[in-house]
Amino acid sequence: MSAPPLPDGYPADAVVAEVPTATPGDAPLDNQVPQHTSYRGKRLLDLVIVCLIIVPTALLCAIAALTHLIAHGRPVLFRQQRVGRDGRLFVLLKLRTMRNDPVGQEKPGDADTARVTAVGRVLRRTSLDELPQLVNVLRGQMSLVGPRPTLPYQVRRYTDRQQLRLLATPGLTGLAQVHGRQRLSWPERIEWDLRYVLRQSLRLDLAILFLTVWTVLSGGGATASHDQDPIARSSERMLSDA
């Protein structure tokens, strides 16, 4: 299923642009360095939208958490340290979607995708597992739109060029999510993120939000394994139970 056309007034290349072709080690995208790492009104946009959706979202989150609790037990929240804007660390919140195997008791070669629970697969496909991150948005640790926040070990594997990704506030969704989501390798996703860092604007954010809703409703939330990806491979770990 293809994505719908953008609403009138949105530049076609604002979201559906050519696939980035740069490789790690190349010069910054279009030989540009971002002059601004945000735009005026971005934080206000986040707060307005979150206030409009917080009640139905909280209800959906509660139902999803209760379903996972009944089917797979506690904890229902997944807490993990991620890297935010300018390299600052914060604790990201998600609904748990994987078996909570004790450290050291995993099966050899047990990929993250093999540990996803039955309810977790549905939560990931519908992106309901991401809803608790609205709390991160309210705290100012994340934005609705921006590069997805990554793990410290992944950031340590970035090239100097890829470090530019950290100039923007991480988001719930972004250019990479509407251009293939987890079907992309990490280097490909970073290229889309760098493009966003350079071109972020109110119109671009609204277009990405529109296409994100379409992607989720059309079933574009399937999870892929990145266990062989040179940047992403590694098992996730709980920071604390809830």
mmCIF file of all heavy atoms in Angstrom, residues 37-39 42 45-46 83-85 133 137 141-150 164-178 186 189-190 192-198 200-201 204-206 208-209 212:
data_model
loop_
_atom_site.group_PDB
_atom_site.id
_atom_site.type_symbol
_atom_site.label_atom_id
_atom_site.label_comp_id
_atom_site.label_asym_id
_atom_site.label_seq_id
_atom_site.Cartn_x
_atom_site.Cartn_y
_atom_site.Cartn_z
ATOM 1 N N THR A 37 19.218 24.127 15.405
ATOM 2 C CA THR A 37 18.882 22.745 15.710
ATOM 3 C C THR A 37 17.404 22.567 16.029
ATOM 4 O O THR A 37 16.991 21.507 16.469
ATOM 5 C CB THR A 37 19.724 22.249 16.902
ATOM 6 O OG1 THR A 37 19.521 23.121 18.022
ATOM 7 C CG2 THR A 37 21.204 22.226 16.535
ATOM 8 N N SER A 38 16.619 23.602 15.818
ATOM 9 C CA SER A 38 15.179 23.521 16.000
ATOM 10 C C SER A 38 14.567 24.707 15.268
ATOM 11 O O SER A 38 15.257 25.458 14.584
ATOM 12 C CB SER A 38 14.816 23.548 17.484
ATOM 13 O OG SER A 38 13.428 23.369 17.666
ATOM 14 N N TYR A 39 13.267 24.880 15.379
ATOM 15 C CA TYR A 39 12.618 26.050 14.802
ATOM 16 C C TYR A 39 11.669 26.625 15.852
ATOM 17 O O TYR A 39 11.242 25.926 16.777
ATOM 18 C CB TYR A 39 11.851 25.693 13.527
ATOM 19 C CG TYR A 39 10.759 24.659 13.719
ATOM 20 C CD1 TYR A 39 9.474 25.022 14.129
ATOM 21 C CD2 TYR A 39 11.005 23.313 13.480
ATOM 22 C CE1 TYR A 39 8.485 24.087 14.322
ATOM 23 C CE2 TYR A 39 10.011 22.368 13.661
ATOM 24 C CZ TYR A 39 8.759 22.751 14.082
ATOM 25 O OH TYR A 39 7.777 21.813 14.267
ATOM 26 N N LYS A 42 8.399 24.779 17.828
ATOM 27 C CA LYS A 42 8.412 23.315 17.846
ATOM 28 C C LYS A 42 7.936 22.765 19.186
ATOM 29 O O LYS A 42 7.132 21.834 19.238
ATOM 30 C CB LYS A 42 9.817 22.796 17.529
ATOM 31 C CG LYS A 42 9.908 21.266 17.432
ATOM 32 C CD LYS A 42 11.292 20.832 16.994
ATOM 33 C CE LYS A 42 11.435 19.325 16.945
ATOM 34 N NZ LYS A 42 10.592 18.695 15.894
ATOM 35 N N LEU A 45 4.229 23.222 19.505
ATOM 36 C CA LEU A 45 3.514 22.215 18.717
ATOM 37 C C LEU A 45 3.423 20.909 19.486
ATOM 38 O O LEU A 45 2.354 20.283 19.535
ATOM 39 C CB LEU A 45 4.231 21.997 17.384
ATOM 40 C CG LEU A 45 3.665 20.877 16.498
ATOM 41 C CD1 LEU A 45 2.281 21.260 15.975
ATOM 42 C CD2 LEU A 45 4.608 20.591 15.333
ATOM 43 N N ASP A 46 4.526 20.492 20.101
ATOM 44 C CA ASP A 46 4.521 19.255 20.883
ATOM 45 C C ASP A 46 3.482 19.310 22.000
ATOM 46 O O ASP A 46 2.683 18.380 22.177
ATOM 47 C CB ASP A 46 5.903 19.012 21.501
ATOM 48 C CG ASP A 46 6.959 18.618 20.484
ATOM 49 O OD1 ASP A 46 6.580 18.164 19.389
ATOM 50 O OD2 ASP A 46 8.155 18.760 20.794
ATOM 51 N N VAL A 83 20.256 8.124 24.447
ATOM 52 C CA VAL A 83 21.017 9.344 24.239
ATOM 53 C C VAL A 83 20.114 10.381 23.579
ATOM 54 O O VAL A 83 19.517 10.123 22.532
ATOM 55 C CB VAL A 83 22.252 9.092 23.353
ATOM 56 C CG1 VAL A 83 23.047 10.390 23.155
ATOM 57 C CG2 VAL A 83 23.135 8.022 23.987
ATOM 58 N N GLY A 84 20.013 11.548 24.190
ATOM 59 C CA GLY A 84 19.168 12.608 23.666
ATOM 60 C C GLY A 84 19.970 13.682 22.959
ATOM 61 O O GLY A 84 21.098 13.464 22.513
ATOM 62 N N ARG A 85 19.367 14.841 22.864
ATOM 63 C CA ARG A 85 20.000 15.969 22.176
ATOM 64 C C ARG A 85 21.329 16.344 22.836
ATOM 65 O O ARG A 85 21.427 16.361 24.060
ATOM 66 C CB ARG A 85 19.041 17.156 22.181
ATOM 67 C CG ARG A 85 19.563 18.392 21.467
ATOM 68 C CD ARG A 85 18.471 19.437 21.403
ATOM 69 N NE ARG A 85 18.967 20.695 20.843
ATOM 70 C CZ ARG A 85 18.201 21.747 20.582
ATOM 71 N NH1 ARG A 85 16.899 21.684 20.832
ATOM 72 N NH2 ARG A 85 18.702 22.842 20.075
ATOM 73 N N GLN A 133 6.072 7.213 25.681
ATOM 74 C CA GLN A 133 7.067 8.244 25.385
ATOM 75 C C GLN A 133 6.462 9.642 25.315
ATOM 76 O O GLN A 133 7.202 10.634 25.277
ATOM 77 C CB GLN A 133 7.808 7.898 24.089
ATOM 78 C CG GLN A 133 8.767 6.736 24.255
ATOM 79 C CD GLN A 133 9.167 6.105 22.951
ATOM 80 O OE1 GLN A 133 9.514 6.798 21.997
ATOM 81 N NE2 GLN A 133 9.124 4.776 22.898
ATOM 82 N N VAL A 137 8.051 13.349 26.068
ATOM 83 C CA VAL A 137 7.804 14.587 25.331
ATOM 84 C C VAL A 137 7.404 15.695 26.294
ATOM 85 O O VAL A 137 7.906 16.831 26.207
ATOM 86 C CB VAL A 137 6.712 14.381 24.257
ATOM 87 C CG1 VAL A 137 6.366 15.711 23.588
ATOM 88 C CG2 VAL A 137 7.180 13.381 23.205
ATOM 89 N N GLN A 141 12.346 15.870 27.065
ATOM 90 C CA GLN A 141 13.447 14.993 26.679
ATOM 91 C C GLN A 141 13.337 14.543 25.236
ATOM 92 O O GLN A 141 14.336 14.166 24.612
ATOM 93 C CB GLN A 141 13.471 13.758 27.596
ATOM 94 C CG GLN A 141 13.668 14.091 29.068
ATOM 95 C CD GLN A 141 13.266 12.946 29.975
ATOM 96 O OE1 GLN A 141 12.351 12.171 29.671
ATOM 97 N NE2 GLN A 141 13.960 12.838 31.105
ATOM 98 N N MET A 142 12.117 14.569 24.713
ATOM 99 C CA MET A 142 11.850 14.161 23.342
ATOM 100 C C MET A 142 10.886 15.150 22.702
ATOM 101 O O MET A 142 10.261 15.970 23.380
ATOM 102 C CB MET A 142 11.263 12.735 23.287
ATOM 103 C CG MET A 142 12.215 11.639 23.693
ATOM 104 S SD MET A 142 11.434 9.993 23.639
ATOM 105 C CE MET A 142 10.989 9.880 21.893
ATOM 106 N N SER A 143 10.771 15.046 21.401
ATOM 107 C CA SER A 143 9.795 15.803 20.628
ATOM 108 C C SER A 143 8.899 14.804 19.904
ATOM 109 O O SER A 143 9.195 13.605 19.863
ATOM 110 C CB SER A 143 10.512 16.707 19.619
ATOM 111 O OG SER A 143 9.584 17.395 18.798
ATOM 112 N N LEU A 144 7.796 15.272 19.342
ATOM 113 C CA LEU A 144 6.963 14.369 18.555
ATOM 114 C C LEU A 144 7.688 13.927 17.294
ATOM 115 O O LEU A 144 7.546 12.782 16.842
ATOM 116 C CB LEU A 144 5.640 15.047 18.194
ATOM 117 C CG LEU A 144 4.669 15.289 19.347
ATOM 118 C CD1 LEU A 144 3.445 16.054 18.855
ATOM 119 C CD2 LEU A 144 4.246 13.976 20.008
ATOM 120 N N VAL A 145 8.480 14.821 16.693
ATOM 121 C CA VAL A 145 9.194 14.515 15.453
ATOM 122 C C VAL A 145 10.681 14.769 15.650
ATOM 123 O O VAL A 145 11.079 15.817 16.169
ATOM 124 C CB VAL A 145 8.671 15.362 14.275
ATOM 125 C CG1 VAL A 145 9.440 15.018 13.000
ATOM 126 C CG2 VAL A 145 7.182 15.146 14.078
ATOM 127 N N GLY A 146 11.479 13.824 15.229
ATOM 128 C CA GLY A 146 12.932 13.950 15.328
ATOM 129 C C GLY A 146 13.569 12.587 15.152
ATOM 130 O O GLY A 146 12.873 11.581 15.027
ATOM 131 N N PRO A 147 14.874 12.513 15.146
ATOM 132 C CA PRO A 147 15.552 11.216 15.062
ATOM 133 C C PRO A 147 15.192 10.354 16.267
ATOM 134 O O PRO A 147 15.088 10.860 17.387
ATOM 135 C CB PRO A 147 17.040 11.585 15.077
ATOM 136 C CG PRO A 147 17.090 13.022 14.673
ATOM 137 C CD PRO A 147 15.830 13.635 15.189
ATOM 138 N N ARG A 148 14.987 9.062 16.060
ATOM 139 C CA ARG A 148 14.678 8.186 17.174
ATOM 140 C C ARG A 148 15.868 8.116 18.133
ATOM 141 O O ARG A 148 17.013 8.032 17.710
ATOM 142 C CB ARG A 148 14.354 6.775 16.665
ATOM 143 C CG ARG A 148 13.011 6.672 15.967
ATOM 144 C CD ARG A 148 11.851 6.900 16.920
ATOM 145 N NE ARG A 148 11.782 5.849 17.931
ATOM 146 C CZ ARG A 148 11.184 6.012 19.116
ATOM 147 N NH1 ARG A 148 10.646 7.169 19.442
ATOM 148 N NH2 ARG A 148 11.149 5.015 19.980
ATOM 149 N N PRO A 149 15.622 8.183 19.449
ATOM 150 C CA PRO A 149 16.719 8.136 20.415
ATOM 151 C C PRO A 149 17.383 6.764 20.434
ATOM 152 O O PRO A 149 16.703 5.735 20.394
ATOM 153 C CB PRO A 149 16.020 8.436 21.752
ATOM 154 C CG PRO A 149 14.608 7.991 21.549
ATOM 155 C CD PRO A 149 14.302 8.270 20.105
ATOM 156 N N THR A 150 18.697 6.748 20.476
ATOM 157 C CA THR A 150 19.430 5.498 20.402
ATOM 158 C C THR A 150 20.197 5.222 21.692
ATOM 159 O O THR A 150 20.239 6.036 22.599
ATOM 160 C CB THR A 150 20.404 5.505 19.211
ATOM 161 O OG1 THR A 150 21.187 6.701 19.268
ATOM 162 C CG2 THR A 150 19.645 5.482 17.897
ATOM 163 N N LEU A 164 26.254 14.264 13.977
ATOM 164 C CA LEU A 164 25.384 15.419 13.745
ATOM 165 C C LEU A 164 23.923 15.093 14.037
ATOM 166 O O LEU A 164 23.112 15.985 14.273
ATOM 167 C CB LEU A 164 25.525 15.904 12.297
ATOM 168 C CG LEU A 164 26.880 16.504 11.907
ATOM 169 C CD1 LEU A 164 26.908 16.812 10.414
ATOM 170 C CD2 LEU A 164 27.161 17.754 12.727
ATOM 171 N N ARG A 165 23.604 13.826 14.026
ATOM 172 C CA ARG A 165 22.249 13.371 14.356
ATOM 173 C C ARG A 165 21.826 13.840 15.748
ATOM 174 O O ARG A 165 20.645 14.056 16.014
ATOM 175 C CB ARG A 165 22.224 11.856 14.270
ATOM 176 C CG ARG A 165 20.894 11.175 14.466
ATOM 177 C CD ARG A 165 21.103 9.676 14.341
ATOM 178 N NE ARG A 165 19.841 8.947 14.278
ATOM 179 C CZ ARG A 165 19.212 8.471 15.346
ATOM 180 N NH1 ARG A 165 19.709 8.675 16.555
ATOM 181 N NH2 ARG A 165 18.077 7.801 15.190
ATOM 182 N N LEU A 166 22.794 14.007 16.639
ATOM 183 C CA LEU A 166 22.506 14.374 18.022
ATOM 184 C C LEU A 166 22.221 15.856 18.198
ATOM 185 O O LEU A 166 21.946 16.303 19.310
ATOM 186 C CB LEU A 166 23.676 13.964 18.921
ATOM 187 C CG LEU A 166 24.043 12.474 18.911
ATOM 188 C CD1 LEU A 166 25.249 12.236 19.807
ATOM 189 C CD2 LEU A 166 22.868 11.612 19.344
ATOM 190 N N LEU A 167 22.270 16.635 17.122
ATOM 191 C CA LEU A 167 21.991 18.060 17.214
ATOM 192 C C LEU A 167 20.493 18.334 17.366
ATOM 193 O O LEU A 167 20.099 19.424 17.784
ATOM 194 C CB LEU A 167 22.525 18.792 15.981
ATOM 195 C CG LEU A 167 24.046 18.858 15.843
ATOM 196 C CD1 LEU A 167 24.426 19.537 14.535
ATOM 197 C CD2 LEU A 167 24.670 19.580 17.032
ATOM 198 N N ALA A 168 19.663 17.377 17.003
ATOM 199 C CA ALA A 168 18.207 17.551 17.090
ATOM 200 C C ALA A 168 17.651 16.798 18.292
ATOM 201 O O ALA A 168 18.204 15.769 18.708
ATOM 202 C CB ALA A 168 17.545 17.057 15.812
ATOM 203 N N THR A 169 16.557 17.300 18.837
ATOM 204 C CA THR A 169 15.861 16.596 19.908
ATOM 205 C C THR A 169 15.271 15.297 19.352
ATOM 206 O O THR A 169 14.637 15.309 18.304
ATOM 207 C CB THR A 169 14.725 17.462 20.476
ATOM 208 O OG1 THR A 169 15.267 18.700 20.950
ATOM 209 C CG2 THR A 169 14.015 16.751 21.624
ATOM 210 N N PRO A 170 15.504 14.161 20.009
ATOM 211 C CA PRO A 170 14.951 12.897 19.497
ATOM 212 C C PRO A 170 13.434 12.922 19.498
ATOM 213 O O PRO A 170 12.813 13.648 20.281
ATOM 214 C CB PRO A 170 15.508 11.854 20.474
ATOM 215 C CG PRO A 170 15.817 12.614 21.720
ATOM 216 C CD PRO A 170 16.233 13.988 21.271
ATOM 217 N N GLY A 171 12.839 12.121 18.611
ATOM 218 C CA GLY A 171 11.392 12.165 18.449
ATOM 219 C C GLY A 171 10.715 10.811 18.480
ATOM 220 O O GLY A 171 11.360 9.758 18.413
ATOM 221 N N LEU A 172 9.388 10.852 18.575
ATOM 222 C CA LEU A 172 8.575 9.644 18.482
ATOM 223 C C LEU A 172 8.579 9.088 17.066
ATOM 224 O O LEU A 172 8.470 7.880 16.858
ATOM 225 C CB LEU A 172 7.134 9.954 18.909
ATOM 226 C CG LEU A 172 6.837 9.964 20.404
ATOM 227 C CD1 LEU A 172 5.492 10.612 20.666
ATOM 228 C CD2 LEU A 172 6.841 8.546 20.951
ATOM 229 N N THR A 173 8.677 9.970 16.104
ATOM 230 C CA THR A 173 8.705 9.570 14.705
ATOM 231 C C THR A 173 9.603 10.532 13.954
ATOM 232 O O THR A 173 9.988 11.580 14.480
ATOM 233 C CB THR A 173 7.290 9.569 14.095
ATOM 234 O OG1 THR A 173 7.356 9.049 12.760
ATOM 235 C CG2 THR A 173 6.686 10.968 14.056
ATOM 236 N N GLY A 174 9.960 10.156 12.723
ATOM 237 C CA GLY A 174 10.846 11.008 11.947
ATOM 238 C C GLY A 174 10.868 10.607 10.484
ATOM 239 O O GLY A 174 10.085 9.761 10.044
ATOM 240 N N LEU A 175 11.766 11.212 9.728
ATOM 241 C CA LEU A 175 11.862 10.907 8.298
ATOM 242 C C LEU A 175 12.161 9.434 8.051
ATOM 243 O O LEU A 175 11.629 8.832 7.117
ATOM 244 C CB LEU A 175 12.951 11.765 7.647
ATOM 245 C CG LEU A 175 12.557 13.154 7.153
ATOM 246 C CD1 LEU A 175 13.761 13.851 6.535
ATOM 247 C CD2 LEU A 175 11.424 13.060 6.129
ATOM 248 N N ALA A 176 13.027 8.845 8.866
ATOM 249 C CA ALA A 176 13.369 7.433 8.673
ATOM 250 C C ALA A 176 12.145 6.541 8.871
ATOM 251 O O ALA A 176 11.970 5.541 8.165
ATOM 252 C CB ALA A 176 14.478 7.024 9.638
ATOM 253 N N GLN A 177 11.282 6.911 9.826
ATOM 254 C CA GLN A 177 10.104 6.072 10.118
ATOM 255 C C GLN A 177 9.092 6.087 8.980
ATOM 256 O O GLN A 177 8.368 5.119 8.785
ATOM 257 C CB GLN A 177 9.441 6.537 11.420
ATOM 258 C CG GLN A 177 10.161 6.077 12.682
ATOM 259 C CD GLN A 177 11.565 6.613 12.772
ATOM 260 O OE1 GLN A 177 11.794 7.815 12.628
ATOM 261 N NE2 GLN A 177 12.534 5.736 13.004
ATOM 262 N N VAL A 178 9.016 7.175 8.213
ATOM 263 C CA VAL A 178 8.067 7.216 7.097
ATOM 264 C C VAL A 178 8.724 6.830 5.782
ATOM 265 O O VAL A 178 8.093 6.876 4.739
ATOM 266 C CB VAL A 178 7.408 8.616 6.968
ATOM 267 C CG1 VAL A 178 6.620 8.938 8.225
ATOM 268 C CG2 VAL A 178 8.443 9.701 6.677
ATOM 269 N N TRP A 186 20.729 0.763 10.023
ATOM 270 C CA TRP A 186 20.992 1.954 10.820
ATOM 271 C C TRP A 186 21.690 3.039 10.016
ATOM 272 O O TRP A 186 21.337 4.214 10.132
ATOM 273 C CB TRP A 186 21.767 1.594 12.083
ATOM 274 C CG TRP A 186 20.850 1.442 13.254
ATOM 275 C CD1 TRP A 186 20.415 0.291 13.819
ATOM 276 C CD2 TRP A 186 20.218 2.497 13.980
ATOM 277 N NE1 TRP A 186 19.553 0.555 14.851
ATOM 278 C CE2 TRP A 186 19.422 1.896 14.978
ATOM 279 C CE3 TRP A 186 20.248 3.883 13.877
ATOM 280 C CZ2 TRP A 186 18.662 2.646 15.866
ATOM 281 C CZ3 TRP A 186 19.493 4.626 14.770
ATOM 282 C CH2 TRP A 186 18.709 4.005 15.755
ATOM 283 N N ARG A 189 19.030 4.792 8.090
ATOM 284 C CA ARG A 189 18.167 5.593 8.943
ATOM 285 C C ARG A 189 18.863 6.887 9.371
ATOM 286 O O ARG A 189 18.247 7.952 9.438
ATOM 287 C CB ARG A 189 17.760 4.775 10.177
ATOM 288 C CG ARG A 189 16.834 3.614 9.840
ATOM 289 C CD ARG A 189 16.679 2.646 10.985
ATOM 290 N NE ARG A 189 15.931 3.213 12.089
ATOM 291 C CZ ARG A 189 15.585 2.519 13.175
ATOM 292 N NH1 ARG A 189 15.953 1.251 13.288
ATOM 293 N NH2 ARG A 189 14.895 3.094 14.139
ATOM 294 N N ILE A 190 20.154 6.786 9.650
ATOM 295 C CA ILE A 190 20.896 7.969 10.065
ATOM 296 C C ILE A 190 20.940 9.000 8.942
ATOM 297 O O ILE A 190 20.872 10.213 9.187
ATOM 298 C CB ILE A 190 22.313 7.584 10.526
ATOM 299 C CG1 ILE A 190 22.233 6.813 11.849
ATOM 300 C CG2 ILE A 190 23.189 8.827 10.707
ATOM 301 C CD1 ILE A 190 23.554 6.233 12.313
ATOM 302 N N TRP A 192 18.608 9.602 6.734
ATOM 303 C CA TRP A 192 17.335 10.323 6.761
ATOM 304 C C TRP A 192 17.301 11.288 7.940
ATOM 305 O O TRP A 192 16.770 12.401 7.840
ATOM 306 C CB TRP A 192 16.168 9.339 6.839
ATOM 307 C CG TRP A 192 15.883 8.635 5.558
ATOM 308 C CD1 TRP A 192 15.970 7.294 5.307
ATOM 309 C CD2 TRP A 192 15.452 9.234 4.322
ATOM 310 N NE1 TRP A 192 15.637 7.022 4.001
ATOM 311 C CE2 TRP A 192 15.314 8.194 3.376
ATOM 312 C CE3 TRP A 192 15.186 10.545 3.928
ATOM 313 C CZ2 TRP A 192 14.906 8.426 2.066
ATOM 314 C CZ3 TRP A 192 14.780 10.776 2.622
ATOM 315 C CH2 TRP A 192 14.643 9.728 1.710
ATOM 316 N N ASP A 193 17.860 10.870 9.073
ATOM 317 C CA ASP A 193 17.881 11.741 10.240
ATOM 318 C C ASP A 193 18.726 12.989 9.996
ATOM 319 O O ASP A 193 18.363 14.093 10.414
ATOM 320 C CB ASP A 193 18.417 10.978 11.459
ATOM 321 C CG ASP A 193 17.473 9.888 11.926
ATOM 322 O OD1 ASP A 193 16.259 10.007 11.659
ATOM 323 O OD2 ASP A 193 17.939 8.926 12.559
ATOM 324 N N LEU A 194 19.867 12.822 9.326
ATOM 325 C CA LEU A 194 20.703 13.976 9.003
ATOM 326 C C LEU A 194 19.967 14.936 8.075
ATOM 327 O O LEU A 194 20.082 16.159 8.198
ATOM 328 C CB LEU A 194 22.017 13.515 8.358
ATOM 329 C CG LEU A 194 22.969 12.720 9.252
ATOM 330 C CD1 LEU A 194 24.203 12.289 8.462
ATOM 331 C CD2 LEU A 194 23.374 13.522 10.478
ATOM 332 N N ARG A 195 19.208 14.381 7.157
ATOM 333 C CA ARG A 195 18.409 15.210 6.259
ATOM 334 C C ARG A 195 17.388 16.024 7.065
ATOM 335 O O ARG A 195 17.164 17.204 6.800
ATOM 336 C CB ARG A 195 17.700 14.329 5.231
ATOM 337 C CG ARG A 195 16.924 15.098 4.169
ATOM 338 C CD ARG A 195 16.354 14.127 3.148
ATOM 339 N NE ARG A 195 17.424 13.447 2.449
ATOM 340 C CZ ARG A 195 18.038 13.920 1.367
ATOM 341 N NH1 ARG A 195 17.671 15.095 0.878
ATOM 342 N NH2 ARG A 195 18.988 13.243 0.788
ATOM 343 N N TYR A 196 16.793 15.379 8.088
ATOM 344 C CA TYR A 196 15.824 16.088 8.916
ATOM 345 C C TYR A 196 16.499 17.204 9.713
ATOM 346 O O TYR A 196 15.957 18.314 9.830
ATOM 347 C CB TYR A 196 15.126 15.125 9.883
ATOM 348 C CG TYR A 196 14.203 15.844 10.836
ATOM 349 C CD1 TYR A 196 12.935 16.261 10.426
ATOM 350 C CD2 TYR A 196 14.617 16.162 12.129
ATOM 351 C CE1 TYR A 196 12.101 16.960 11.283
ATOM 352 C CE2 TYR A 196 13.787 16.856 12.994
ATOM 353 C CZ TYR A 196 12.536 17.257 12.565
ATOM 354 O OH TYR A 196 11.723 17.955 13.410
ATOM 355 N N VAL A 197 17.671 16.923 10.288
ATOM 356 C CA VAL A 197 18.379 17.925 11.076
ATOM 357 C C VAL A 197 18.596 19.192 10.264
ATOM 358 O O VAL A 197 18.473 20.312 10.768
ATOM 359 C CB VAL A 197 19.725 17.361 11.580
ATOM 360 C CG1 VAL A 197 20.566 18.459 12.207
ATOM 361 C CG2 VAL A 197 19.481 16.245 12.595
ATOM 362 N N LEU A 198 18.896 19.034 8.985
ATOM 363 C CA LEU A 198 19.171 20.173 8.124
ATOM 364 C C LEU A 198 17.916 20.895 7.665
ATOM 365 O O LEU A 198 17.946 22.096 7.425
ATOM 366 C CB LEU A 198 19.963 19.731 6.894
ATOM 367 C CG LEU A 198 21.432 19.349 7.124
ATOM 368 C CD1 LEU A 198 22.000 18.691 5.882
ATOM 369 C CD2 LEU A 198 22.247 20.578 7.505
ATOM 370 N N GLN A 200 14.549 20.652 9.088
ATOM 371 C CA GLN A 200 13.368 20.644 9.962
ATOM 372 C C GLN A 200 12.641 21.979 9.931
ATOM 373 O O GLN A 200 13.245 23.052 9.889
ATOM 374 C CB GLN A 200 13.764 20.274 11.392
ATOM 375 C CG GLN A 200 14.801 21.149 12.048
ATOM 376 C CD GLN A 200 15.149 20.642 13.426
ATOM 377 O OE1 GLN A 200 14.272 20.421 14.258
ATOM 378 N NE2 GLN A 200 16.430 20.438 13.687
ATOM 379 N N SER A 201 11.318 21.880 9.946
ATOM 380 C CA SER A 201 10.448 23.043 9.907
ATOM 381 C C SER A 201 9.062 22.607 10.371
ATOM 382 O O SER A 201 8.774 21.411 10.501
ATOM 383 C CB SER A 201 10.353 23.616 8.488
ATOM 384 O OG SER A 201 9.700 22.699 7.621
ATOM 385 N N LEU A 204 7.372 20.533 7.647
ATOM 386 C CA LEU A 204 7.936 19.187 7.553
ATOM 387 C C LEU A 204 7.438 18.322 8.703
ATOM 388 O O LEU A 204 7.068 17.165 8.508
ATOM 389 C CB LEU A 204 9.463 19.260 7.556
ATOM 390 C CG LEU A 204 10.215 17.929 7.491
ATOM 391 C CD1 LEU A 204 9.789 17.112 6.282
ATOM 392 C CD2 LEU A 204 11.710 18.175 7.476
ATOM 393 N N ASP A 205 7.393 18.866 9.915
ATOM 394 C CA ASP A 205 6.908 18.092 11.058
ATOM 395 C C ASP A 205 5.454 17.675 10.877
ATOM 396 O O ASP A 205 5.083 16.530 11.165
ATOM 397 C CB ASP A 205 7.051 18.915 12.342
ATOM 398 C CG ASP A 205 8.464 18.849 12.914
ATOM 399 O OD1 ASP A 205 9.348 18.290 12.238
ATOM 400 O OD2 ASP A 205 8.680 19.362 14.028
ATOM 401 N N LEU A 206 4.619 18.589 10.406
ATOM 402 C CA LEU A 206 3.204 18.246 10.195
ATOM 403 C C LEU A 206 3.055 17.172 9.125
ATOM 404 O O LEU A 206 2.228 16.260 9.242
ATOM 405 C CB LEU A 206 2.416 19.502 9.801
ATOM 406 C CG LEU A 206 2.253 20.560 10.902
ATOM 407 C CD1 LEU A 206 1.550 21.789 10.344
ATOM 408 C CD2 LEU A 206 1.489 19.995 12.090
ATOM 409 N N ILE A 208 5.312 14.864 8.359
ATOM 410 C CA ILE A 208 5.798 13.598 8.922
ATOM 411 C C ILE A 208 4.756 12.997 9.853
ATOM 412 O O ILE A 208 4.517 11.776 9.827
ATOM 413 C CB ILE A 208 7.129 13.825 9.665
ATOM 414 C CG1 ILE A 208 8.245 14.144 8.666
ATOM 415 C CG2 ILE A 208 7.508 12.583 10.479
ATOM 416 C CD1 ILE A 208 9.550 14.535 9.311
ATOM 417 N N LEU A 209 4.108 13.819 10.666
ATOM 418 C CA LEU A 209 3.060 13.316 11.557
ATOM 419 C C LEU A 209 1.911 12.715 10.753
ATOM 420 O O LEU A 209 1.378 11.648 11.098
ATOM 421 C CB LEU A 209 2.556 14.441 12.457
ATOM 422 C CG LEU A 209 3.519 14.913 13.551
ATOM 423 C CD1 LEU A 209 2.982 16.171 14.224
ATOM 424 C CD2 LEU A 209 3.763 13.813 14.574
ATOM 425 N N THR A 212 3.067 9.456 9.318
ATOM 426 C CA THR A 212 3.250 8.455 10.371
ATOM 427 C C THR A 212 1.929 7.766 10.683
ATOM 428 O O THR A 212 1.869 6.537 10.825
ATOM 429 C CB THR A 212 3.818 9.112 11.642
ATOM 430 O OG1 THR A 212 5.119 9.634 11.358
ATOM 431 C CG2 THR A 212 3.922 8.100 12.765
#
